[in-house]
C-alpha cells in the first residue's frame, strides 16, 4: 500500500509538472499579446515570448512528449530554487538523437549556468549592448522579468530583428520628412520650369534641392550636398529646408539682396553644424524684371549653362565654384562672387551633385565630366523632362546595377521668356 501511494504521489507530481509546460500552448498567445500591448516597441518587454517554465525534476522524455520536438524551441525555462533558469536546447542535442539514454534524466541536471535577466521596461538598445558586452554567459536567449516576476523569454536574434525593423521604420519616416522638405513649387504659369532627378545611394541622402518663387517674379533654385551620410546629413538638409521656408513665410525676402540670403544660409550653417561638417551648393536667383540670374557656386560641382552664339551654334558654358562651402567661415563681400547670367527664351541651367560624375560601371570605370558634357550636348534641344528621362536611362545603362558610391541629385531649369 505504501509503495502504491508513493508511486501515485510521484505520478501526480510529475503530471502537474507536465501540465505546467503543456499550458504553454494555451497561454503563450495570451501572454505575448498582453506583453505586446503593455510595452512600447522600444522596450524589450515588447518582444517577450511567454513559455511556461517546467519543474527541474521533470524528465527530458516528458518534455519531448509534450512539445513533440525540442528543436522547435531554442531554450527551455526551468523553475528552480534559484529562480528561472534556461537550458539551451542545443545542450540537450547529444550524440545522434534526442532519444538517447539520457532522455529519462531530470532536466535540472543539465542546468550549468544562469541566463541573462533583463527588466521588461528596459530600452531595446540598452539590452542589446548588455548582451553584446557580456563575457561569462553566451546564451542566445535571456529571461525577461516585469516587476521582479517572470514574463517570458527573449532571444538575441529576435531582438536583433526587432531593432532592425525599428530602424527601418525610423529611416522610412526620416525619408518622408526629407522628401517633403525638398520641394519644387513651380507650376506651368511660371516662366521658369524645373525638373529634378534624385537617386540616393543610401536610405537617407545628404543631397538637397529647392526651387520656388520667393515673391512675385523672383525665384530661387538650389542644389546642395552635405558632407557625411545618412542620418547626420539628413539633419543638416532639414535645417536648409527650414531656412528657406522661414525666408518665404517671413515676408522679408523681397527686402534682401541675393548676397544677403547667401550670408544668412552661411551664418545658420556655421551656427547649427559642428566642426568638420560643411555644405557645398549652387544657388540661382532669377529676377524676371531684371531679366537676369545671379548664380553662387559654393564649392559645388560646376553649373552647366546651355548657350547659343550669334550663329546659333550650341555649347555649354561651365560656371566653376568660386566661393567656400557653407558652414566653414564668414564670407566677406559675397556680392563680388555672384556670376551673372542673362536670361533668354530657351535658356537651360544644369546643376547636379558630384555623385553623378563619381558613379562607376561594373569594370570600375568612372563616369566623369567629359561623358556628362557629351551626353548633354547631344540632347541640347530636348525639353527638360526628356533630358531627365534620357539621363535616368543613361545612369541605368552605365552602372548596370552597380552600387552608387554617392547620392545623385540633378536640377535642370529652363526659362520661357
Amino acid at each position: 500500500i505504501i509503495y502504491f501511494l508513493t508511486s501515485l504521489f510521484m505520478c501526480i507530481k510529475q503530471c502537474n509538472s507536465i501540465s505546467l509546460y503543456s499550458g504553454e500552448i494555451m497561454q503563450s498567445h495570451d501572454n505575448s499579446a498582453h506583453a505586446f500591448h503593455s510595452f512600447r516597441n522600444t522596450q524589450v518587454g515588447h518582444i517577450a515570448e511567454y513559455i511556461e517554465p517546467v519543474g527541474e525534476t521533470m524528465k527530458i522524455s516528458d518534455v519531448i512528449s509534450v512539445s513533440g520536438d525540442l528543436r522547435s524551441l531554442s531554450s527551455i525555462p526551468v523553475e528552480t530554487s534559484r529562480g528561472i533558469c534556461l537550458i539551451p536546447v542545443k545542450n540537450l542535442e547529444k550524440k545522434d538523437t534526442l532519444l538517447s539514454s539520457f532522455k529519462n534524466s531530470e532536466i535540472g541536471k543539465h542546468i550549468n549556468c544562469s541566463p541573462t535577466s533583463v527588466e521588461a521596461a528596459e530600452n531595446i538598445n540598452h539590452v542589446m549592448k548588455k548582451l553584446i558586452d557580456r563575457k561569462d554567459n553566451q546564451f542566445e536567449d535571456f529571461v525577461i522579468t516585469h516587476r521582479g516576476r517572470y514574463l517570458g523569454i527573449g532571444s538575441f536574434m529576435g531582438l536583433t530583428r526587432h531593432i532592425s525593423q525599428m530602424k527601418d521604420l525610423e529611416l522610412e519616416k526620416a525619408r518622408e520628412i526629407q522628401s517633403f522638405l525638398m520641394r519644387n513649387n513651380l507650376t506651368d504659369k511660371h516662366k521658369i520650369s524645373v525638373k529634378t532627378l534624385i537617386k540616393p545611394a543610401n536610405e537617407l541622402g545628404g543631397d538637397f534641392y529647392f526651387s520656388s518663387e520667393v515673391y512675385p517674379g523672383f525665384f530661387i533654385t538650389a542644389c546642395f550636398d552635405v558632407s557625411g551620410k545618412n542620418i547626420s546629413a539628413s539633419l543638416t538638409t532639414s535645417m536648409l529646408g527650414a531656412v528657406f521656408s522661414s525666408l518665404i513665410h517671413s515676408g522679408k525676402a523681397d527686402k534682401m539682396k541675393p548676397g544677403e540670403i547667401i550670408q544668412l544660409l552661411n551664418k545658420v550653417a556655421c551656427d547649427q553644424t559642428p566642426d568638420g561638417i560643411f555644405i557645398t551648393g549652387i544657388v540661382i536667383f532669377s529676377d524676371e524684371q531684371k531679366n537676369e540670374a545671379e548664380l553662387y557656386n559654393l564649392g559645388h560641382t560646376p553649373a552647366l549653362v546651355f548657350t547659343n552664339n550669334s550663329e546659333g551654334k550650341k555649347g555649354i558654358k561651365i560656371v566653376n565654384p568660386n566661393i567656400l562651402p557653407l558652414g566653414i567661415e564668414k564670407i566677406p563681400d559675397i556680392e563680388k562672387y555672384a556670376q551673372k547670367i542673362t536670361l533668354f527664351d530657351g535658356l537651360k541651367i544644369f546643376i547636379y551633385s558630384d555623385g553623378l560624375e563619381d558613379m562607376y560601371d561594373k569594370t570600375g570605370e568612372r563616369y566623369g565630366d567629359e561623358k556628362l558634357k557629351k551626353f548633354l550636348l547631344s540632347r541640347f534641344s530636348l525639353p527638360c523632362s526628356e533630358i531627365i528621362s534620357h539621363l535616368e536611362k543613361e545612369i541605368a545603362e552605365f552602372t548596370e546595377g552597380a552600387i552608387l558610391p554617392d547620392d545623385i541629385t540633378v536640377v535642370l531649369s529652363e526659362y520661357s521668356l
Side-chain angles (χ1 to χ4, degrees):
I1 294 173
I2 293 174
Y3 175 79
F4 173 77
L5 291 175
T6 302
S7 299
L8 179 62
F9 173 77
M10 293 299 296
C11 181
I12 292 172
K13 182 178 179 182
Q14 192 174 62
C15 287
N16 285 337
S17 181
I18 295 173
S19 67
L20 282 173
Y21 183 68
S22 63
E24 171 202 335
I25 299 175
M26 297 177 61
Q27 296 184 40
S28 61
H29 179 271
D30 293 339
N31 282 275
S32 296
H34 174 73
F36 181 83
H37 293 295
S38 299
F39 299 97
R40 296 188 298 273
N41 55 10
T42 55
Q43 296 176 306
V44 74
H46 185 81
I47 66 165
E49 179 184 1
Y50 183 82
I51 299 177
E52 185 77 20
V54 301
E56 61 182 327
T57 60
M58 187 175 179
K59 293 182 178 180
I60 294 174
S61 58
D62 296 326
V63 176
I64 295 173
S65 65
V66 172
S67 64
D69 187 353
L70 281 179
R71 286 167 291 189
S72 64
L73 302 172
S74 57
S75 62
I76 301 168
V78 182
E79 188 172 5
T80 72
S81 58
R82 294 170 290 167
I84 299 295
C85 292
L86 296 180
I87 298 181
V89 168
K90 63 183 180 182
N91 287 3
L92 303 179
E93 294 176 337
K94 297 180 179 180
K95 298 181 181 180
D96 298 327
T97 175
L98 290 174
L99 301 177
S100 57
S101 60
F102 72 93
K103 67 180 181 180
N104 290 320
S105 62
E106 292 180 354
I107 200 166
K109 293 180 180 180
H110 299 274
I111 300 174
N112 53 22
C113 56
S114 300
T116 299
S117 179
V118 300
E119 171 58 38
E122 281 194 70
N123 181 273
I124 54 175
N125 293 304
H126 295 166
V127 173
M128 174 61 78
K129 186 178 185 305
K130 180 186 294 186
L131 295 177
I132 291 173
D133 291 344
R134 62 189 175 180
K135 297 178 179 179
D136 58 344
N137 181 4
Q138 295 303 314
F139 271 156
E140 178 184 340
D141 292 354
F142 51 92
V143 173
I144 302 175
T145 61
H146 181 46
R147 296 174 181 173
R149 306 181 70 174
Y150 170 76
L151 179 69
I153 293 176
S155 71
F156 184 82
M157 288 303 297
L159 181 61
T160 302
R161 190 181 304 111
H162 180 67
I163 290 175
S164 177
Q165 291 170 348
M166 288 288 296
K167 288 186 175 178
D168 286 344
L169 182 61
E170 290 172 1
L171 286 173
E172 181 59 34
K173 292 295 183 184
R175 275 196 296 267
E176 291 177 5
I177 294 172
Q178 190 177 51
S179 297
F180 177 77
L181 291 173
M182 289 193 285
R183 60 187 62 184
N184 176 12
N185 293 336
L186 302 180
T187 64
D188 293 339
K189 72 176 184 177
H190 296 111
K191 293 183 179 181
I192 173 176
S193 65
V194 172
K195 302 298 179 184
T196 60
L197 174 62
I198 311 295
K199 285 191 172 297
N202 302 292
E203 291 87 352
L204 286 175
D207 289 358
F208 179 82
Y209 76 86
F210 178 86
S211 184
S212 181
E213 185 176 33
V214 181
Y215 58 86
F218 188 80
F219 305 85
I220 295 179
T221 302
C223 179
F224 296 96
D225 187 356
V226 179
S227 61
K229 306 297 177 189
N230 287 323
I231 295 176
S232 61
S234 72
L235 290 173
T236 306
T237 62
S238 298
M239 176 268 293
L240 290 170
V243 172
F244 281 116
S245 181
S246 299
L247 185 67
I248 292 173
H249 295 293
S250 67
K252 297 180 180 179
D254 59 341
K255 300 177 179 63
M256 298 178 69
K257 297 178 181 179
E260 292 174 330
I261 294 176
I262 295 294
Q263 289 285 29
L264 173 64
L265 284 167
N266 188 49
K267 286 179 181 178
V268 173
C270 288
D271 181 66
Q272 295 294 313
T273 57
D275 292 341
I277 299 296
F278 58 88
I279 307 163
T280 70
I282 292 177
V283 186
I284 305 171
F285 301 91
S286 304
D287 193 323
E288 284 185 0
Q289 291 184 347
K290 294 181 179 180
N291 204 39
E292 184 181 73
E294 288 188 24
L295 188 151
Y296 293 81
N297 192 329
L298 303 132
H300 203 66
T301 52
L304 304 179
V305 182
F306 291 37
T307 61
N308 279 315
N309 61 17
S310 57
E311 299 176 355
K313 187 176 180 179
K314 61 187 180 180
I316 292 179
K317 178 183 177 182
I318 300 174
V319 183
N320 288 307
N322 60 347
I323 316 173
L324 285 175
L326 300 174
I328 295 179
E329 61 182 34
K330 183 179 179 181
I331 308 172
D333 304 321
I334 187 68
E335 288 80 7
K336 72 179 183 181
Y337 298 104
Q339 304 189 59
K340 305 292 182 70
I341 300 171
T342 301
L343 304 181
F344 60 86
D345 187 53
L347 170 69
K348 296 186 181 76
I349 302 178
F350 186 93
I351 57 179
Y352 61 99
S353 63
D354 57 5
L356 180 57
E357 292 181 348
D358 290 343
M359 63 182 178
Y360 291 86
D361 64 11
K362 286 187 174 181
T363 67
E365 180 184 356
R366 181 174 175 269
Y367 189 69
D369 58 345
E370 290 302 321
K371 284 189 178 67
L372 178 59
K373 292 174 191 175
K374 182 178 178 181
F375 168 84
L376 292 174
L377 280 171
S378 66
R379 293 159 177 82
F380 185 87
S381 303
L382 295 176
C384 287
S385 57
E386 291 188 32
I387 294 175
I388 291 295
S389 179
H390 285 218
L391 180 59
E392 189 165 18
K393 184 178 179 181
E394 172 85 350
I395 293 171
E397 291 178 350
F398 180 80
T399 59
E400 293 184 296
I403 296 174
L404 295 175
D406 201 357
D407 306 323
I408 295 176
T409 300
V410 173
V411 180
L412 179 57
S413 307
E414 183 172 12
Y415 295 83
S416 301
L417 303 176

